[in-house]
Every structure is written in structure tokens, then in C-alpha cells.
Amino acid sequence: AGAVSEPADRSRGCAQDPCDVAALQDGCVSPRPAGAVSEPADRSRGCAQDPCDVAALQDGCVSPRAAGAVSEPADRSRGCAQDPCDVAALQDGCVSPRPAVVDVKRSSLDDGPGIRSVVFFKGCPLRCVWCQNPETLAPRPEVQRSIDACIGCRACVAACPVGRARPAAEAQPDVACRLCGACVEACPAAARRIAGTEPSIDELVELLLRDDVFYRRSGGGVTLSGGEPALFPEFVGEVAGRLHARGVHVLAETCGQFRWEAFAAHLLPHVSTVYFDLKIADPERHRRWVGRDNETIHHNFRRLAAAGTAEVLPRIPLVPSLTDDRENLLALAALIRSAGLGRVALLPYNPLWVTKRRALGLDMPYGRAEWMNPDEVARCEEAVAGAGLEVIH
């Protein structure tokens, strides 16, 4: 509190966007800007020497704080936005950050059985180029714009106290934004909002239990989604535990990139069902299109299936030219069968993410604008079914 809002010098690496959890990726393709020295900084004293150094944010970082540093984390009552370069706020196993929530979608019929409430947490350790919810990638609150609603009047520009606001069509990531909300209030077309609130556990559970009667009558419950809910194991685990204790069916959707020990200790005991996404079988292609290799993901998938404590439904997003080729589908089917599972859900490509990503000012390494046609989907279903799996719709 009271700290200068301007970010620190970022000439040394991933701090171009210090809250971008692409900095969490072991396989970050280019954590330093072009022309920067490729050798990592000395980390003999721990990653706290340069908290924005990408290696400091890797899952396996042994010592997130320098030798002799105070072990207590900084106050994070409002989440990592207080100090977007705070390593502990971004670690998979962070003790207790308060995550940001983009939205709570009530009365959903698409994210599990029955009538459900879906919690979309902000923050993801992957960077799928086709991400359906790009507004959930960064773990901090941020301004979200609507290209369709924006009328280009530039009222936002005039209202911004630091002169960084831009109309939706000119959007770009901006770490200098103070999230004051002035541009949101000034927009006459309601084309802007601050995406990400930071509710307490009590507040979130109270909201989710308002629809308890609908869950019970329909066989529904609560779905924990994102982003990646397992990025915040203690917070999300406490929410899941309180819901579970009230008899609410809890389902977690995961990309699989999480610390197993934290997931098993805090989340797994309270989750009845896990939707586990598997994308690309080949590690190098996975690294190219998803942002890191798939070793941890596949390891966690096998351990979760073997644990037998929750129903596990693997899902394969069908992304034309990236995940829908026969070779990839057969390799993923073999992985699923080797884990002792016999069902899979195929998720046909949905292009609605494209405008959301553009409105955030993010790059577009992939951008098919058309939905998959029935023949494309049928071809994928045939390949997976031929490999001995039941396809769940």
C-alpha cells in the first residue's frame, strides 16, 4: 500500500508484463526481449534477486526468497495486483493469495451436470493460442473492453489520469494502468469493465450457496473453472471444502499444470468430478502452441486417474490444424486408455474467443474465425471411437 504504481525497470526479462503468468511457464519461448542476453541471472541466493525473472516463477523454484529474507509473504489481501512482481503471489504453491474472479456464471447448463454456478478464476500457467477465456490468463484484475460495443468516442482517453486508456480497437496490454475505473465510468457505451474482483472465501461461498436449491433439484452444483483454479490450491480448496460439507457437488476444470501435492492436499478431498483437458501429445508441439511441454500435465493426469477419489473425464479441445489431426487424437486416446479410463469429451472449436483476445490487445498467433463443421467433428469422433473410447457429448 502506498507504493509507487509505476513498474520497475524490465530490461532484464519477463517483466514486460510482470503479472502475466506466462512467466510461470517452464518452457517460456522467449522470456527476454529481442537482443537481451540469453543467460539467466545468478540464482544462487534464490529467485528473489529478480522477482520478475521468469526462472523465479517456475514450478520447481527451490528458494523463492533470497537467503536471509523474511519468510512471511507481503500482505496480499487484494491479490497480486498490489505487487505484480511478487514471486510468492504467482507460485503454484503460494500459501494463500486471494485470487481474482472474472465472473460467477449462475444457472449454467454447460459446465457439468444439472444447473450449476461456474466460478472463473483469473490466472493460468499455460498460454494456449486458442484460449477460450483470454480475460482469465493474467492473475490480476484488468480492464476488459468490448470491440462490438465500443463506439470509438475516446471518452476513455480523456478520462484516464495517466493517459494510457485506448478504445477497444486500439487496445494493448498496459501494466501502467492503475485500475482506477475512470475510463469505465466515462464510457457512454458501457464497453469497458474491470475484469476481476477479489472476494473473500466467505463472500464467494455465500454467493454460490444462494442457488443451493437449484443444485439439489437438478443434480447440479458448482464448477471451479478459469483460468486455472488449481493455481490457488488453499483458497479454492477452502471454498470447495465448505461447499462439499453442505452437500454441494463440486466439479473442477483443469489444464493439468499444477503441483500435485498441493492439489491432492487441498482440492482433491472436496471435488467429486474433474474435467481434465488434454491438448497435444507431442511435447515440442505442445510447447509451441500451449506454452510449455506436457510432462507435468500427463504425470498429473495419470496420478489423478489412479487415485480413484474423483470421477475424471478427459477432454480434448478440437482446434483445426493444431489438435484435430488423427495422429494427435490417437496418441491422446492411447494416453487415456493407459490411465485406465474409457471415456473422453471432444470440444469442437469455438471462435468466439478471437474478439475477446483482440480487445485485450494480445497477439494473434492463431485466429480461425469459423466454427468447425459437422464433417470435421465427425472425423475426430470416428478416430477416437476407433481407438476404443466412448465419446461423451
Side-chain angles (χ1 to χ4, degrees), residues 149-151 153 186-192:
C150 179
I151 59 176
C153 67
C187 179
R192 307 171 75 89

Side-chain angles (χ1 to χ4, degrees), residues 10 30 44 52 78 107 114 121 127 142 146 250 252 330 355 367:
R10 300 187 184 89
S30 180
S44 58
C52 281
R78 294 182 57 250
S107 301
F121 292 98
R127 282 299 178 273
E142 61 190 321
S146 169
V250 179
L330 293 180
T355 55

Side-chain angles (χ1 to χ4, degrees), residues 30-301:
S30 180
R32 289 175 173 76
V37 178
S38 61
E39 289 300 309
D42 172 42
R43 297 184 193 92
S44 58
R45 295 180 56 243
C47 61
Q49 288 180 317
D50 180 6
C52 281
D53 185 347
V54 75
L57 302 178
Q58 294 175 354
D59 294 352
C61 184
V62 175
S63 177
R65 288 178 173 80
V70 178
S71 60
E72 287 301 310
D75 173 40
R76 292 184 199 93
S77 59
R78 294 182 57 250
C80 71
Q82 286 185 325
D83 181 5
C85 279
D86 184 358
V87 172
L90 297 178
Q91 290 175 345
D92 289 357
C94 187
V95 175
S96 182
R98 181 181 293 187
V101 173
V102 173
D103 196 11
V104 176
K105 180 182 177 183
R106 299 167 70 181
S107 301
S108 172
L109 300 175
D110 301 322
D111 296 273
I115 297 173
R116 311 190 70 81
S117 292
V118 186
V119 186
F120 293 92
F121 292 98
K122 276 182 68 64
C124 182
L126 301 184
R127 282 299 178 273
C128 305
V129 298
W130 65 87
C131 178
Q132 296 297 301
N133 299 308
E135 70 277 16
T136 69
L137 291 175
R140 70 193 187 287
E142 61 190 321
V143 174
Q144 184 179 11
R145 313 155 188 89
S146 169
I147 289 178
D148 292 336
C150 179
I151 59 176
C153 67
R154 306 187 77 82
C156 55
V157 179
C160 180
V162 293
R164 302 299 295 267
R166 295 291 182 273
E170 303 173 24
Q172 56 185 322
D174 191 356
V175 295
C177 177
R178 298 175 180 174
L179 296 176
C180 65
C183 65
V184 176
E185 294 179 8
C187 179
R192 307 171 75 89
R193 70 163 182 151
I194 295 179
T197 60
E198 294 160 343
S200 68
I201 291 173
D202 289 342
E203 290 168 339
L204 186 55
V205 171
E206 188 276 330
L207 172 62
L208 295 171
L209 287 176
R210 292 179 190 176
D211 292 330
D212 188 31
V213 64
F214 300 107
Y215 308 152
R216 296 181 184 279
R217 291 293 183 92
S218 68
V222 171
T223 297
L224 307 172
S225 188
E228 176 50 59
L231 198 64
F232 312 97
E234 286 203 355
F235 183 100
V236 178
E238 179 66 20
V239 171
R242 294 192 190 183
L243 295 171
H244 182 75
R246 293 286 298 269
V248 176
H249 178 273
V250 179
L251 185 155
E253 296 180 336
T254 181
C255 71
Q257 186 66 42
F258 53 74
R259 289 181 58 197
W260 173 260
E261 293 77 11
F263 182 88
H266 299 292
L267 264 170
L268 191 54
H270 313 301
V271 172
S272 299
T273 305
V274 178
Y275 285 178
F276 198 112
D277 290 352
L278 299 169
K279 301 175 176 73
I280 300 175
D282 179 76
E284 289 307 314
R285 290 187 63 231
H286 196 280
R287 183 186 297 274
R288 178 180 180 185
W289 298 113
V290 178
R292 65 191 305 164
D293 68 36
N294 53 23
E295 180 179 1
T296 297
I297 295 171
H298 290 185
H299 180 67
N300 285 337
F301 176 68

